[in-house]
Amino acid sequence: MDFAGQKLSERICVVLIMIGAVVSFGVGYVLADFSMMMKTYAGFVGVTFLLVGPDWPFYNRDPIKWREHPKEDGDGSPTSTDSKTRSGDAQKQEGESLRRRR
């Protein structure tokens, strides 16, 4: 589920729960039956869960574009374009300063 899908899912959930509360209160008031009110509300909660629980395709309309994985050297470490362009002396100095910090 992408970010826009999460927002849509939350909006659907809030709207359906509010509608369910109002409708179930009305049913309970008209019928003067508390258990019918709770059953009606539970039905709305169940329908809401079926709509927002699973990752339905309409929640994935704006997929996230991930960055590409960096290419690796033969030893398994990722390559850095920065290290290829710098001179060997600069790399040695940086390595020595890192060792001193530890």
Side-chain angles (χ1 to χ4, degrees), residues 8-20 48 52:
L8 176 64
S9 174
E10 180 185 5
R11 190 160 290 174
I12 289 172
C13 182
V14 168
V15 168
L16 284 179
I17 292 294
M18 294 303 292
I19 290 172
T48 301
V52 301

Side-chain angles (χ1 to χ4, degrees), residues 12-62:
I12 289 172
C13 182
V14 168
V15 168
L16 284 179
I17 292 294
M18 294 303 292
I19 290 172
V22 170
V23 169
S24 63
F25 178 78
V27 167
Y29 185 79
V30 168
L31 298 177
D33 189 1
F34 183 77
S35 66
M36 183 55 93
M37 178 188 76
M38 293 305 291
K39 290 175 186 174
T40 305
Y41 186 68
F44 270 96
V45 170
V47 169
T48 301
F49 175 74
L50 288 176
L51 284 174
V52 301
D55 188 17
W56 296 105
F58 63 89
Y59 291 134
N60 294 317
R61 290 184 182 163
D62 302 315

